[in-house]
Amino acid sequence: MEKWMDFVMVMMVSLLTFIVGEEDGVTYDGRSLLIHGQRKLLFSGSIHYPRSTPKMWPDLIGKAKEGGLDVIQTYVFWNLHEPQPGQYDFSGRYDLVRFIKEIQAQGLYVCLRIGPFIESEWTYGGFPFWLHDVPGIVYRTDNEPFKFYMQNFTTKIVNMMKAEGLYASQGGPIILSQIENEYQNVERSFGVGGPQYVQWAAKMALSLDTGVPWVMCKQTDAPDPVINTCNGMRCGETFPGPNSPNKPKLWTEDWTSFYQVYGGLPYIRSAQDIAFHVTLFIARNGSYVNYYMYHGGTNFGRTASAYVITAYYDQAPLDEYGLLRQPKWGHLRELHAAIKSCSSTLLQGVQSNFSLGKLQEGYVFEEEHGGCVAFLINNDGVNNTNVQFRNKTYELLPKSISILPDCQNVTFNTANVNTTNNTRIYFNRQNFSSIDDWEKFEDVIPNFDDTPLRSNTLLEQMNTTKDKSDYLWYTTRFEYNLSCSEPTLVVESRAHVAHAFVNTTYIGGAHGNHDVKSFTLELPVTVNEGTNNLSILSVMVGLPDSGAYLEKRFAGLRDVELQCSEQESLSLTNSTWAYQVGLLGEKLQVYKEQNSNDTEWTPLENITTQMLVWYKSTFETPEGDDPVALDLSSMGKGEVWVNGQSIGRYWILFHDSKGNPSQSMYHVPRSFLKDKSENVLVLVEEGGGNLLSITLNTVVVANFHQSRSKSFA
Ligand SMILES: *[C@@H]1O[C@H](CO)[C@@H](O)[C@H](O)[C@H]1NC(C)=O
Ligand SMILES: *[C@@H]1O[C@H](CO)[C@@H](O)[C@H](O)[C@H]1NC(C)=O
Ligand SMILES: *[C@@H]1O[C@H](CO)[C@@H](O)[C@H](O)[C@H]1NC(C)=O
Ligand SMILES: *[C@@H]1O[C@H](CO)[C@@H](O)[C@H](O)[C@H]1NC(C)=O
Ligand SMILES: *[C@@H]1O[C@H](CO)[C@@H](O)[C@H](O)[C@H]1NC(C)=O
Ligand SMILES: *[C@@H]1O[C@H](CO)[C@@H](O)[C@H](O)[C@H]1NC(C)=O
Ligand SMILES: *[C@@H]1O[C@H](CO)[C@@H](O)[C@H](O)[C@H]1NC(C)=O
Ligand SMILES: *[C@@H]1O[C@H](CO)[C@@H](O)[C@H](O)[C@H]1NC(C)=O
Ligand SMILES: *[C@@H]1O[C@H](CO)[C@@H](O)[C@H](O)[C@H]1NC(C)=O
Ligand SMILES: *[C@@H]1O[C@H](CO)[C@@H](O)[C@H](O)[C@H]1NC(C)=O
Ligand SMILES: *[C@@H]1O[C@H](CO)[C@@H](O)[C@H](O)[C@H]1NC(C)=O
Ligand SMILES: *[C@@H]1O[C@H](CO)[C@@H](O)[C@H](O)[C@H]1NC(C)=O
């Protein structure tokens, strides 16, 4: 009897193991990943959960699935989740488990890139700023304090996933994890510490025993069994392959566009070019391609890194609002279907490669019995070309690949776009054009005496603000005794923007850009004999997110002086400076919907070009489900809140090379809005701007012909 029970138990356990595939989890060989023992060719897309809202997730994931994706890839955002050491936040947009469960519910897999350094055009590359104040810390090298916190957070995330049963080895959707991120870019800066750290990171990750493989992207020396993967736009051409014949060829970031900075133009990568390089990678044995980004979304609040605009990868197959961007989304969907129709042969067949002409070549995957797939490649970027393949003639478009899932019929050519273009259209739903719509709160320009924090040097900005604000006031007081009455104020800054005030009167500003580390403000100023107050507002538009020794970066003012001539100047660099972190309005939290401090608001009465003013208005939620956006093209620079939630920074005055703002439309997620009562809109404006031209819009996409008729209607 007991023996019989034992037998039944053993049978039940092994049956369960068989169904769930617990024993295999995810494995791999030189050809592909194997999920529960099944070989897989996978299309994947990056969607970052905090760059949209939980309400948007089901639709985004659904559109990714419909677009032919098998996997959703996301980074994990350490600085959102651990704002203070040991204090965690996984609520709302930060609800990683809910995001993964939504992906699972729709039948897709997950690639979890824990990092926890992620770069990602995310402020401080995802590091919580408190790391900076850990004694003796050096990030991303063989440094004990750093390794402690990195291991602590990585363990926290892995344990959380395990507790929810989310790894494929537990029957969950997570099939891959990433440790570190493009580390090889900085490895050499750390000497012997670099390779030691790579070894440690791999070992640490493996010890967490997830039952699914780890990857290190752009890391040629990834230690076994961690898989080194490719990031870039042309991995079929550039990737020398994994560092072992037993590892599959995976592409973790196929850039569908490129991040955009203030002053920069959007990077448009064509659907044809993306399709060409994906197909080439598959023809050359690739078995996993991830689109970075598939949906970029929005850098809400102050989460964008230095100079990066608020919209993220708006040119991806799903645009910032989650709307289909055509023809990109449709063209890739057809590509995925063409490849999937023959993926079994691609994964089981034997590959051969042959020339079809001077600039033409072919790849064939052939199974012993039956299946045969061919890729016919034309690398001639100008001319159509006829090639002979197996006694038939095929015409190839310039720079294209034809896919023949049966080695006979072409079902897809990467340059032949079958999807109709669409256009995004904004419908004006509300204006704010009456002065009576607005209230204001004038921020205060502090003088030396108003600011308690003193120092005899120019303090480093990040370490002073602790990333609590973009703004740091540097104030000083000086006795003027030079011979000229209108000297030049010269300020060298390593922050991003500087605004100068003498005795609280604004005298001008200057800013830098993404590609140079410092800028100089030079302005004539009127000073009086005797005591003068100088207040400089130094502004950062996001913290840096890349490069070695991030903890040692210097931001803020470097040098301040008044010059009458080259010979005659007054240096203020070593004067006594007093500091204020943040604006008064930030301290009072005037952007909050309900605050006991709202006596501070006064009627607008007049439009001025005054600096540092907070503005408040209200609006109704537009009917329907279409996404909502504010048109801020009439404004200067600042940040916007809706019902107390920041929808991001704006910087209209920083024009691109064609003379336009890099971003004028700002996404207001539907879930930030109210059903019944009015919504509260608050802006802080640094540089003037005309509030009365702000509009509230809804956003739709329409195909080319429709959009034409609409705009003429
Ligand atoms: C991580 O550090 C916190 C304190 O910051 C501690 O409470 C916790 O036990 C640590 N966890 C691990 C896995 O080391
Ligand atoms: C693809 O894999 C096959 C079999 O392992 C190998 O012979 C061939 O060289 C590989 N081709 C490329 C382009 O990597
Ligand atoms: C394309 O065709 C033109 C005209 O036939 C020829 O002059 C040119 O060399 C061709 N380009 C390439 C890259 O073969
Ligand atoms: C191509 O044609 C030749 C001669 O007509 C024939 O011998 C050969 O088998 C054909 N090849 C294929 C792949 O059909
Ligand atoms: C594929 O091509 C063959 C011969 O060229 C043809 O007989 C067959 O009908 C085609 N199949 C499809 C599905 O188009
Ligand atoms: C092109 O579009 C048509 C109509 O939408 C569709 O029937 C056809 O299958 C598409 N072609 C490819 C290669 O997907
Ligand atoms: C469709 O959009 C692409 C850019 O994405 C453009 O190059 C092409 O000319 C457009 N086609 C039509 C018919 O408007
Ligand atoms: C950073 O600021 C702290 C005070 O908050 C100070 O003790 C420390 O010396 C500063 N570190 C650097 C590198 O400036
Ligand atoms: C600034 O204010 C001081 C008194 O606080 C005054 O002596 C000085 O003349 C003023 N300077 C200017 C330029 O107005
Ligand atoms: C400020 O003081 C530092 C030393 O404390 C010195 O190296 C530097 O030259 C001084 N700068 C100026 C402009 O006087
Ligand atoms: C009101 O201002 C005080 C600082 O003066 C601040 O501590 C408090 O949080 C503010 N209250 C609200 C509700 O914003
Ligand atoms: C509004 O501005 C005008 C001209 O700039 C000025 O004459 C008027 O006094 C201002 N009104 C108020 C209430 O500030």
Side-chain angles (χ1 to χ4, degrees):
M1 182 68 176
E2 268 182 27
K3 276 252 157 72
W4 182 80
M5 284 292 286
D6 278 356
F7 177 73
V8 169
M9 286 303 288
V10 168
M11 284 304 288
M12 281 177 68
V13 168
S14 49
L15 184 65
L16 261 176
T17 309
F18 175 74
I19 293 167
V20 177
E22 258 187 48
E23 266 179 353
D24 319 329
V26 182
T27 57
Y28 62 77
D29 62 16
R31 183 67 190 100
S32 74
L33 296 173
L34 290 98
I35 304 179
H36 309 317
Q38 282 197 311
R39 204 169 270 298
K40 294 285 181 181
L41 196 158
L42 298 167
F43 292 107
S44 171
S46 286
I47 301 178
H48 294 156
Y49 52 98
R51 283 175 159 142
S52 53
T53 62
K55 198 173 161 192
M56 293 169 71
W57 294 342
D59 179 59
L60 295 172
I61 295 161
K63 284 171 174 164
K65 182 178 183 174
E66 203 189 331
L69 299 195
D70 310 289
V71 185
I72 303 297
Q73 188 186 92
T74 184
Y75 281 126
V76 178
F77 297 77
W78 188 1
N79 51 16
L80 297 183
H81 295 309
E82 198 177 355
Q84 295 301 324
Q87 278 177 29
Y88 297 101
D89 185 356
F90 291 94
S91 63
R93 290 203 323 273
Y94 311 165
D95 194 342
L96 174 60
V97 167
R98 176 170 169 188
F99 182 66
I100 294 178
K101 286 188 173 170
E102 181 59 43
I103 297 168
Q104 181 177 31
Q106 299 208 33
L108 302 186
Y109 298 119
V110 172
C111 170
L112 192 66
R113 307 174 83 191
I114 298 178
F117 174 78
I118 60 171
E119 189 159 330
S120 193
E121 291 70 65
W122 190 262
T123 191
Y124 221 40
F127 284 158
F129 195 78
W130 53 258
L131 270 186
H132 181 265
D133 291 340
V134 171
I137 202 162
V138 184
Y139 305 157
R140 304 176 74 200
T141 184
D142 191 6
N143 168 274
E144 293 307 323
F146 178 73
K147 289 191 299 184
F148 171 82
Y149 286 104
M150 172 166 167
Q151 175 161 9
N152 187 289
F153 181 71
T154 306
T155 308
K156 169 84 186 174
I157 295 299
V158 168
N159 287 345
M160 202 171 163
M161 298 300 110
K162 281 186 185 174
E164 300 282 345
L166 294 176
Y167 284 104
S169 49
Q170 304 172 288
I174 305 174
I175 56 162
L176 273 182
S177 287
Q178 180 178 301
I179 194 74
E180 252 294 340
N181 188 62
E182 296 192 349
Y183 184 67
Q184 195 163 289
N185 290 349
V186 297
E187 187 166 353
R188 291 179 69 165
S189 313
F190 297 108
V192 293
Q196 280 166 9
Y197 168 68
V198 172
Q199 292 292 327
W200 171 83
K203 219 170 173 178
M204 186 272 285
L206 292 165
S207 75
L208 298 174
D209 202 19
T210 60
V212 310
W214 289 90
V215 303
M216 283 183 166
C217 60
K218 278 193 164 178
Q219 193 65 42
T220 314
D221 63 353
D224 293 341
V226 177
I227 307 164
N228 60 305
T229 64
C230 186
N231 291 352
M233 289 196 183
R234 299 181 293 121
C235 282
E237 291 168 359
T238 57
F239 190 42
N243 61 16
S244 152
N246 303 322
K247 295 177 185 177
K249 198 168 169 183
L250 314 180
W251 189 354
T252 33
E253 289 187 17
D254 179 351
W255 303 327
T256 53
S257 172
F258 213 66
Y259 64 84
Q260 194 180 347
V261 297
Y262 290 108
L265 294 163
Y267 186 98
I268 316 277
R269 190 178 176 200
S270 72
Q272 295 93 316
D273 188 57
I274 300 172
F276 179 92
H277 289 283
V278 170
T279 309
L280 186 67
F281 189 72
I282 300 290
R284 293 184 172 165
N285 294 340
S287 59
Y288 172 94
V289 179
N290 176 73
Y291 298 102
Y292 190 98
M293 302 294 293
Y294 195 73
H295 169 256
T298 308
N299 292 311
F300 296 112
R302 301 188 303 109
T303 59
S305 65
Y307 290 105
V308 168
I309 69 169
T310 292
Y312 191 60
Y313 275 76
D314 179 40
Q315 294 294 323
L318 300 178
D319 74 4
E320 180 183 8
Y321 307 100
L323 301 170
L324 303 187
R325 185 172 282 287
Q326 301 285 33
K328 216 168 274 185
W329 182 86
H331 192 52
L332 296 176
R333 171 185 148 98
E334 289 183 1
L335 165 64
H336 303 148
I339 302 263
K340 281 302 172 82
S341 74
C342 54
S343 60
S344 166
T345 303
L346 290 174
L347 291 168
Q348 319 293 340
V350 174
Q351 189 214 49
S352 56
N353 174 219
F354 44 88
S355 171
L356 292 168
K358 219 168 103 197
L359 293 169
Q360 292 73 31
E361 63 171 336
Y363 286 92
V364 165
F365 292 78
E366 201 153 17
E367 289 176 281
E368 217 174 307
H369 303 291
C372 180
V373 180
F375 296 94
L376 307 182
I377 303 171
N378 182 15
N379 279 307
D380 181 339
V382 181
N383 298 320
N384 280 21
T385 313
N386 287 326
V387 296
Q388 295 294 316
F389 172 64
R390 300 205 168 173
N391 293 353
K392 277 178 71 179
T393 304
Y394 294 86
E395 188 181 26
L396 301 178
L397 293 171
K399 191 72 183 177
S400 79
I401 307 179
S402 282
I403 302 175
L404 293 64
D406 58 359
C407 281
Q408 292 191 14
N409 304 290
V410 175
T411 61
F412 185 85
N413 177 279
T414 57
N416 184 10
V417 177
N418 189 28
T419 304
T420 311
N421 284 11
N422 67 6
T423 313
R424 202 158 54 191
I425 308 166
Y426 295 93
F427 291 101
N428 180 342
R429 304 295 287 265
Q430 187 177 327
N431 295 323
F432 299 86
S433 51
S434 162
I435 293 254
D436 302 333
D437 292 338
W438 293 96
E439 292 178 294
K440 70 174 174 188
F441 168 75
E442 288 174 23
D443 216 286
V444 170
I445 311 330
N447 275 332
F448 183 78
D449 287 332
D450 311 322
T451 46
L453 176 63
R454 299 278 156 99
S455 171
N456 288 329
T457 53
L458 289 168
L459 292 177
E460 196 283 316
Q461 181 155 349
M462 293 181 277
N463 190 38
T464 309
T465 63
K466 307 292 182 200
D467 195 31
K468 294 281 184 275
S469 171
D470 285 355
Y471 300 99
L472 179 62
W473 282 105
Y474 290 73
T475 68
T476 192
R477 190 162 56 185
F478 59 91
E479 296 296 320
Y480 187 70
N481 51 14
L482 299 185
S483 61
C484 64
S485 65
E486 222 187 53
T488 304
L489 172 68
V490 183
V491 178
E492 195 211 309
S493 171
R494 294 239 170 163
H496 303 151
V497 181
H499 296 295
F501 300 79
V502 173
N503 280 7
T504 75
T505 301
Y506 185 57
I507 56 165
H511 67 82
N513 67 63
H514 181 261
D515 298 331
V516 294
K517 282 206 171 59
S518 63
F519 67 92
T520 306
L521 173 149
E522 275 190 63
L523 285 169
V525 290
T526 308
V527 287
N528 291 354
E529 247 177 65
T531 308
N532 293 268
N533 284 294
L534 175 64
S535 300
I536 300 171
L537 181 63
S538 179
V539 191
M540 289 192 75
V541 186
L543 302 190
D545 71 330
S546 65
Y549 301 111
L550 208 49
E551 72 284 349
K552 294 188 180 64
R553 290 297 163 76
F554 188 99
L557 306 188
R558 258 279 145 94
D559 204 59
V560 181
E561 76 179 29
L562 290 162
Q563 297 177 346
C564 282
S565 66
E566 260 178 50
Q567 290 74 37
E568 196 190 356
S569 67
L570 171 64
S571 171
L572 301 174
T573 303
N574 288 340
S575 302
T576 300
W577 289 85
Y579 295 85
Q580 178 183 304
V581 174
L583 305 177
L584 178 61
E586 290 180 291
K587 190 177 153 209
L588 297 177
Q589 299 181 299
V590 299
Y591 49 81
K592 281 210 169 163
E593 216 186 323
Q594 305 286 334
N595 69 32
S596 48
N597 303 316
D598 61 4
T599 46
E600 319 279 353
W601 292 99
T602 59
L604 180 59
E605 285 181 349
N606 242 344
I607 285 292
T608 64
T609 53
Q610 205 181 330
M611 295 283 297
L612 293 180
V613 184
W614 297 75
Y615 298 105
K616 181 158 138 180
S617 188
T618 58
F619 64 91
E620 274 168 28
T621 300
E623 275 172 30
D625 293 325
D626 293 329
V628 177
L630 281 166
D631 183 345
L632 300 180
S633 50
S634 62
M635 299 303 290
K637 178 185 180 306
E639 189 174 342
V640 197
W641 289 260
V642 172
N643 296 327
Q645 301 206 62
S646 173
I647 63 165
R649 302 184 182 99
Y650 64 91
W651 196 350
I652 307 300
L653 291 173
F654 197 153
H655 288 177
D656 63 28
S657 55
K658 292 180 178 166
N660 302 312
S662 294
Q663 181 179 354
S664 344
M665 305 301 301
Y666 289 80
H667 181 206
V668 185
R670 281 265 173 194
S671 58
F672 287 15
L673 300 178
K674 294 179 183 171
D675 285 341
K676 303 239 153 51
S677 53
E678 291 206 301
N679 301 288
V680 178
L681 169 68
V682 174
L683 300 95
V684 61
E685 173 55 59
E686 264 173 58
N690 180 8
L691 293 163
L692 305 188
S693 296
I694 292 176
T695 62
L696 186 79
N697 302 267
T698 51
V699 193
V700 298
V701 284
N703 77 34
F704 187 67
H705 300 291
Q706 281 176 347
S707 75
R708 265 181 60 153
S709 53
K710 265 198 182 131
S711 56
F712 287 113

